[in-house]
Amino acid sequence: MLPSLYGNNLERIESWLLKGGHSTSCADILCRYIYNGRNKKLLPQFSKTVLEQLENEFTSELPKPSSIQRAKDGTIKFLLELHDGEKVEAVLIPFYKRYTLCVSSQVGCAMNCDFCYTGTMGLKRNLEAGEIVGQYLFAYEFLKAEKGSNEPRPNIVMMGMGEPLHNFEEVKMALKVFTAEKGLALSPRQITLSTVGYLPGLKRWHEMPPVNLALSLHSPIKEVRDKLIPVNRGWPLPEVMEVLDKLPLHHRQVITYEYLLIKGMTDRDSDAHELAKIILGKRAMINLIPFNPYPGSEYKKPSTDDVERFKKILVSYSLMTMVRTTKGDEILAACGQLKAKQLSL
Ligand code: SF4
């Protein structure tokens, strides 16, 4: 199988041109061609040989939808088939004036989080950068076909299948393509990468383009977090927080702390107070996520009153706190519910 055309940033295109004995002077225009829908008007600006080599050495195929499901709230979940038949999910979530696309970074996941549907699959393989970018290109083309070519480019959350920092190099390249001026030219502020606290990756965070970071914290209590997120046993929360505290943040940037509210397990008053103690004094936003039950899960969703009570405690510490409204839960497109199989509605 040929490598994907969409795993290339300007530097890679330049070295590819050099390797093929060409001048790099058309690298910029070639990138514009690749990331602007292979606009035919740009063709006269580079030689026929370059184009032929490009077509022969890369594939421009995007992942193919094997199912598309829509929730009443406007969420659209794609099950996308990759070149080897493996499947990943990408979810378009309506959010004010612009969609947000939740993209996958791996087929399955090795982190085995206890609350997560994807975690039950195990890790099948890493996605290549071109397959990560391909999910975005596919979803944006889909949106434009439905809503018109003026549809703004979706924001991105790397919260789909997989732990992004466990696939560091390919995710880094995908983020470079997303944010490069000679790529998709998204602002790094439009992108959030979410991790469960994969410490080897967090220690290399400075290598990534300056996108937003979210940590799935989920419990301030070691035993509870150990159960929910098994990697906490090897890389406990205090060690992770120590690394996060040292990350340089640009003006007005905060780290988002995702907190899963599970009835009777993480939603007690004492949990809220402990959480507040950990977060106080940091440039932080807390995102409360009421648990979304999935078939066979042992955990329960808290009541709306319990969610409000928990939020009130955090707000009493003047902590910026939001409750993430659950979108797409009837099609299992909500956080922690992605698993690459077709689900009947
Ligand atoms: S929550 Fe994220 S890191 Fe944990 S198993 Fe699920 S996909 Fe993997």
Side-chain angles (χ1 to χ4, degrees):
M1 182 68 197
L2 296 173
S4 167
L5 190 56
Y6 310 115
N8 293 302
N9 64 350
L10 180 64
E11 276 171 25
R12 278 194 180 173
I13 288 293
E14 281 175 344
S15 34
W16 175 79
L17 284 166
L18 283 176
K19 217 170 110 207
H22 306 287
S23 144
T24 56
S25 59
C26 69
D28 276 24
I29 210 86
L30 209 48
C31 281
R32 265 177 62 204
Y33 171 74
I34 294 168
Y35 294 110
N36 284 284
R38 306 222 309 294
N39 187 340
K40 295 225 169 4
K41 284 186 197 151
L42 297 170
L43 287 179
Q45 303 198 41
F46 41 87
S47 75
K48 209 170 149 229
T49 334
V50 166
L51 187 67
E52 272 170 14
Q53 263 180 293
L54 197 73
E55 305 284 345
N56 290 338
E57 294 180 29
F58 295 102
T59 169
S60 56
E61 262 185 46
L62 293 176
K64 293 187 183 57
S66 85
S67 82
I68 299 174
Q69 293 176 284
R70 293 168 192 268
K72 288 189 199 84
D73 60 21
T75 301
I76 306 168
K77 181 170 82 166
F78 306 104
L79 182 60
L80 299 174
E81 186 169 337
L82 307 168
H83 64 85
D84 58 356
E86 291 293 358
K87 288 175 182 157
V88 290
E89 293 186 335
V91 184
L92 273 170
I93 306 151
F95 198 69
Y96 299 109
K97 290 183 182 159
R98 189 188 281 269
Y99 276 83
T100 292
L101 181 71
C102 177
V103 297
S104 294
S105 54
Q106 296 177 311
V107 182
C109 185
M111 300 297 118
N112 198 21
C113 300
D114 207 41
F115 56 88
C116 175
Y117 204 33
T118 308
T120 62
M121 284 174 76
L123 176 65
K124 293 201 173 168
R125 71 169 174 87
N126 281 330
L127 293 189
E128 289 159 18
E131 292 174 316
I132 299 171
V133 175
Q135 294 169 62
Y136 187 85
L137 295 174
F138 166 81
Y140 187 41
E141 284 306 313
F142 178 92
L143 264 188
K144 283 195 290 188
E146 286 221 327
K147 303 197 175 284
S149 55
N150 287 336
E151 180 64 23
R153 291 184 173 200
N155 294 336
I156 299 174
V157 288
M158 298 213 75
M159 287 182 193
M161 297 167 72
E163 161 55 58
L165 296 181
H166 189 220
N167 182 15
F168 196 92
E169 290 302 331
E170 297 300 316
V171 166
K172 181 167 89 173
M173 179 49 70
L175 291 178
K176 283 184 177 177
V177 171
F178 284 137
T179 56
E181 198 198 324
K182 304 284 185 273
L184 286 162
L186 293 170
S187 158
R189 290 179 190 196
Q190 286 182 259
I191 304 174
T192 301
L193 182 149
S194 177
T195 175
V196 287
Y198 187 77
L199 208 50
L202 280 173
K203 286 184 175 165
R204 296 176 59 196
W205 182 253
H206 57 277
E207 295 176 34
M208 292 283 189
V211 300
N212 298 312
L213 179 64
L215 174 75
S216 300
L217 197 153
H218 299 344
S219 173
I221 313 297
K222 180 165 178 0
E223 296 68 33
V224 179
R225 195 165 191 270
D226 279 353
K227 175 163 168 54
L228 291 174
I229 304 174
V231 297
N232 191 60
R233 294 173 199 153
W235 301 308
L237 187 61
E239 276 183 42
V240 171
M241 296 303 284
E242 212 181 301
V243 174
L244 292 195
D245 285 347
K246 289 186 190 135
L247 295 183
L249 299 177
H250 50 73
H251 183 57
R252 291 171 68 186
Q253 192 182 21
V254 295
I255 292 178
T256 302
Y257 294 91
E258 312 271 359
Y259 191 92
L260 193 60
L261 284 166
I262 302 173
K263 191 179 172 61
M265 188 176 191
T266 63
D267 68 343
R268 297 162 304 180
D269 289 2
S270 56
D271 294 317
H273 290 292
E274 284 304 312
L275 177 63
K277 274 191 219 159
I278 292 175
I279 305 292
L280 260 181
K282 302 188 193 307
R283 281 169 59 181
M285 224 256 305
I286 302 174
N287 215 345
L288 299 176
I289 310 161
F291 177 69
N292 301 301
Y294 58 81
S297 74
E298 58 176 295
Y299 301 127
K300 302 265 179 310
K301 189 175 183 158
S303 68
T304 314
D305 284 352
D306 287 341
V307 174
E308 277 311 306
R309 177 187 40 78
F310 198 93
K311 181 181 171 187
K312 239 181 175 167
I313 296 174
L314 296 173
V315 171
S316 74
Y317 286 88
S318 303
L319 291 169
M320 197 164 37
T321 307
M322 277 178 57
V323 178
R324 189 194 293 166
T325 47
T326 305
K327 297 216 177 199
D329 54 349
E330 91 248 33
I331 54 170
L332 294 191
C335 183
Q337 292 185 319
L338 302 183
K339 188 174 182 181
K341 74 176 194 186
Q342 195 159 347
L343 297 150
S344 50
L345 291 172

